[in-house]
Amino acid sequence: MNEDKIIEKLQKIFNDIFTEQQVIVSKNLSANEVDEWDSLNHINLIVAIENEFKFKFTLEEIQSLKTVGDTIKLILQKI
């Protein structure tokens, strides 16, 4: 799987979770740029990503994620 396919899957996840604001997924996107991206939606996002890609993040991995680009890199490592 390549980055474009991952971004496509992440876009669908983001659309499902963030319903009040259209979010365009990019490598530089962070929680600071999305009004709905609070702690509860962060958990929802992590769980949805884990379910989509069929793996689990460790606590340390979750804490290291600052941007969508970081998430993409980690997904590529885990799949």
Side-chain angles (χ1 to χ4, degrees):
M1 184 174 301
N2 62 27
E3 284 186 9
D4 290 336
K5 186 67 174 169
I6 292 171
I7 289 173
E8 182 181 313
K9 288 179 178 246
L10 289 177
Q11 185 65 63
K12 290 177 185 176
I13 292 169
F14 274 66
N15 290 344
D16 288 343
I17 292 174
F18 304 117
T19 57
E20 295 177 15
Q21 172 184 358
Q22 183 172 0
V23 177
I24 306 299
V25 174
S26 70
K27 290 181 182 181
N28 296 324
L29 183 67
S30 70
N32 295 334
E33 300 169 53
V34 181
D35 293 336
E36 291 180 79
W37 197 335
D38 57 15
S39 57
L40 179 58
N41 276 336
H42 188 73
I43 292 167
N44 292 335
L45 190 60
I46 293 297
V47 170
I49 292 169
E50 289 176 336
N51 289 338
E52 176 66 32
F53 292 98
K54 312 283 190 266
F55 63 76
K56 297 287 184 193
F57 291 114
T58 67
L59 180 58
E60 292 80 21
E61 289 170 337
I62 293 169
Q63 291 173 334
S64 74
L65 301 175
K66 304 298 181 214
T67 65
V68 171
D70 295 338
T71 306
I72 292 169
K73 284 182 197 175
L74 188 53
I75 291 169
L76 285 169
Q77 290 173 7
K78 292 180 107 30
I79 57 174

